[in-house]
Amino acid sequence: MEEQELPYVLIATIGGIDGVLEDHVEFLKKHFNLITMKQFHEHKSHLSEKIKAIYMWWNKPVANQELLSSLPNLKVIATGGAGVDHLDLKLISSFGVKVANTPFAVSNATADMGMALMLASARRIVEGCQIAVSPNTEYFAADWMGDEVTGATLGIIGMGRIGYKVAQRAKAFEMKILYHNRSQRKEEEEQAVGAIYCKNIDDLLLQSDFVMLCVNLTPQTEKLIGKKELEMMKPTATLINISRGLVVDQDALVEALQNGVIKAAALDVTYPEPLPRNHPLLTLKNIIITPHVGGSTTKSCRLMMENMVESILATLNGLPIPNEVNPPK
Amino acid sequence: MPQWRDPANHVMAKQEQPGLLIHEIGGVDGVLEGHVELLKKHFHLITMKEFLENKKRLNEKIKSVFIHECKPVIDRELLQSLPHLKVIANSGVGVDHLDLKLIASFGIKVTNTPHAVSDSTADIGMALMLASARRLVEGCQISVSPQTEHFAADWLGDEVTGATLGIIGMGSIGYKVAKRAKAFEMKILYHNRNQRKEEEEKAVGACYCEKMEDLLQQSDFVMLVVNLTPQTFRFIGKRELELMKPSATLINISRGAVVDQDALVEALQNGTIKAAALDVTYPEPLPRDHSLLKLKNIIITPHIGTATVQATRKMTEEAVANILAVLNGLTIPSEVIPIRCFREHTYALAYLL
């Protein structure tokens, strides 16, 4: 196609800390005329009517009232990742704009990260690495120990795509798997991973050695894990969060970790990201935090990008949209 | 076996109990304090210090030695001073620190604890592979660093799901690694002295590579799960590292001496391989100025493959069961037998399981 015929797609920026990945640009430019926010602001009158789609990477550019009002021909916003909690779905829908996410692309990488965090926390990998390289290390102490993952009880809260993949992996470690979900999974699905449904979240919290949060962030799941839930957990238990920071009441978590109400936590997500540098969570010894990298592999990012391109092209060509996110009722 | 007959249930009066020589209780490398009660249930515990102070009185009592963290050290002098010694029970599966030929020449049996260690060691192999691939340690540093103002979008790791794992050494630990890796939909290649049975291969989807080169050339992650023997000593060297993909990661959960460390340093410095994750080195710990400690593309853990409350307990229990079996003339669960390898006239290891 000649360049002027390619659809105009708005992006935040290329490269840098939160821009579209440089490695993806070649593929994107095959299908789209990429317009950065900077270019858009400089040539608004000329570009505003041309832009048909927003390619949203790491939640940018932000789809607020101002931006949506200035894009009269916007048809679709494609956002990278599974979460859509950063989008005002009602507002976007009111402009007649469709939304598509990438729920499949990140599920393997995120399930892997959940397992990585559980193993790293249980076996004290980060601490161990520090000991191995510390200038003060003269010997390795015999009484330095972690907790066994094999055969322990894992409680999965949120048994969607990612939660189920976590269960598949945990089964190979002979873990006993409990799960809590809005609805119970089919019997064959449960049996395939040996997972037992806990209709009441309390039952899961009381029995688990590891509690893993794999839910979406919604008004119902905000601060799902608070003081009460943490107190129900075993004092020997570890909380692992690979969903969204807001699912946990962070102040309650700080207190629980300080007082030994639970043993440890491993978080890939916090609120905000990054945490302020003086936040108490950063000073605790019994926590590991990773910088929201659940979906951050070369392979998954590539797949995300391809999914987003597909969703945009389908919308603009009047075809059914893969991974469309339904507007709220 | 009827319960009353099972040696584990037969608790003797204290003076009748066979003597068990140990290094010490507690401290850096002593027997774990929490395990003392279990040992005292069956044995009269004698520390090396007590023994050296009272050799004449105690040497007749000592029928067994319990080795924990490679101590006490077994040499000719010690063996000569223990005329009634029947068994040396090692805590852990590796016995490369024991002179098997020497011990056998005294008619003393050696046992290890292969069952107790396999789960926790397989778990550590998986933990290291995941931590390395997803840059977990680095990520934790970024999360807490005072300099961190934002999380960079272009900071990426490698996907473990669907990648190719090459397992070198498919004994009980290697096989457990394969079981776990299968759940991550990994493609599994393995190299072993002998090919496993077809059903065993199928159960984990593992493909046998008779030639180690084939495994090295195709793997994204190479995991070493062998014993240390004269045959495996430094068997991963310059040549093997060069056969690996430049995007590959080497993971070692066996023994440090299985890898030529100088060759590894060079390979990591030059990008011959992408990264390494080691639970074991030689020596342990490494000297504080060692080159491996300065590299950015390596993670090292302080030999924690069996460092769980559960595994250490099981190791002691397994050692106790081995000792009691020897002393009672019963079938020994995990005897280590030195065998002569006719071609090489060296001793290799065989396990009677």
Side-chain angles (χ1 to χ4, degrees), chain A residues 20 27 40 86-87 129 141 159 186 201:
Chain A
V20 166
F27 186 89
F40 175 63
H86 56 287
L87 295 174
C129 288
M159 193 78 134
K186 292 184 204 153
I201 199 177

Side-chain angles (χ1 to χ4, degrees), chain A residues 17 134 142 146 148 277 293 297, chain B residues 28 134 145 153 159 288 304 307-308:
Chain A
I17 61 164
S134 163
E148 194 105 335
R277 298 295 86 189
V293 292
T297 65
Chain B
V28 171
R134 302 303 295 272
S145 163
E159 193 117 332
R288 299 294 86 190
I304 54 175
T308 68

Side-chain angles (χ1 to χ4, degrees), chain B residues 254-272:
Chain B
S254 54
R255 283 290 181 271
V258 151
V259 175
D260 177 343
Q261 272 178 186
D262 294 335
L264 179 61
V265 169
E266 214 179 298
L268 289 168
Q269 281 171 342
N270 300 337
T272 304

Side-chain angles (χ1 to χ4, degrees), chain A residues 38-325:
Chain A
K38 185 165 183 285
Q39 288 169 318
F40 175 63
H41 284 305
E42 284 166 6
H43 299 99
K44 232 184 201 165
S45 50
H46 166 61
L47 290 171
S48 66
E49 288 187 1
K50 288 183 180 251
I51 288 167
K52 298 247 166 64
I54 296 177
Y55 178 89
M56 194 179 277
W57 193 256
W58 277 109
N59 306 350
K60 294 201 181 131
V62 176
N64 52 23
Q65 174 90 28
E66 192 194 331
L67 183 64
L68 293 169
S69 307
S70 62
L71 299 170
N73 293 320
L74 183 66
K75 299 276 175 289
V76 60
I77 297 172
T79 183
V84 289
D85 47 281
H86 56 287
L87 295 174
D88 186 338
L89 296 176
K90 202 169 165 188
L91 174 71
I92 295 167
S93 174
S94 73
F95 280 86
V97 174
K98 307 237 183 234
V99 174
N101 63 348
T102 63
F104 298 104
V106 295
S107 31
N108 285 328
T110 310
D112 288 358
M113 198 67 202
M115 296 299 295
L117 284 169
M118 177 165 64
L119 285 159
S121 181
R123 302 302 293 270
R124 301 169 69 184
I125 299 279
V126 178
E127 214 183 318
C129 288
Q130 287 161 354
I131 289 168
V133 301
S134 163
N136 303 321
T137 294
E138 292 175 4
Y139 55 80
F140 293 158
D143 56 355
W144 189 99
M145 263 174 257
D147 293 318
E148 194 105 335
V149 166
T150 291
T153 300
L154 170 62
I156 301 174
I157 299 178
M159 193 78 134
R161 231 166 265 109
I162 294 172
Y164 195 73
K165 284 183 183 249
V166 170
Q168 283 172 323
R169 286 149 178 72
K171 177 175 193 278
F173 289 75
E174 297 168 45
M175 298 189 86
K176 178 179 175 185
I177 300 167
L178 308 172
Y179 77 100
H180 175 74
N181 205 41
R182 276 172 303 190
S183 45
Q184 189 166 1
R185 282 235 176 197
K186 292 184 204 153
E187 200 181 332
E188 318 86 78
E189 290 174 341
E190 285 183 338
Q191 270 176 22
V193 295
I196 298 164
Y197 185 53
C198 292
K199 191 165 180 184
N200 192 335
I201 199 177
D202 299 357
D203 293 329
L204 180 151
L205 295 169
L206 288 165
Q207 301 177 69
S208 299
D209 300 306
F210 299 93
V211 174
M212 198 179 304
L213 307 176
C214 300
V215 289
N216 292 324
L217 176 62
T218 65
Q220 292 74 39
T221 62
E222 188 171 333
K223 289 195 182 166
L224 175 69
I225 303 298
K227 187 170 153 77
K228 174 170 166 283
E229 289 70 29
L230 293 163
E231 281 171 359
M232 263 188 276
M233 284 171 65
K234 293 185 187 183
T236 52
T238 299
L239 179 71
I240 301 145
N241 191 2
I242 53 169
S243 57
R244 282 290 180 271
L246 283 172
V247 165
V248 175
D249 176 345
Q250 271 177 188
D251 295 334
L253 179 62
V254 171
E255 215 179 295
L257 288 168
Q258 281 171 340
N259 299 335
V261 171
I262 64 171
K263 180 172 183 171
L267 315 177
D268 186 43
V269 287
T270 60
Y271 181 76
E273 286 167 7
L275 287 168
R277 298 295 86 189
N278 60 356
H279 198 283
L281 279 176
L282 300 182
T283 58
L284 295 170
K285 291 260 166 281
N286 50 350
I287 194 169
I288 54 175
I289 305 173
T290 44
H292 197 155
V293 292
S296 299
T297 65
T298 310
K299 190 174 172 183
S300 291
C301 283
R302 182 110 205 148
L303 190 56
M304 259 198 276
M305 180 273 288
E306 289 170 358
N307 286 166
M308 289 161 73
V309 168
E310 204 187 329
S311 297
I312 292 172
L313 290 175
T315 313
L316 301 184
N317 289 310
L319 298 166
I321 306 166
N323 304 321
E324 186 178 355
V325 177

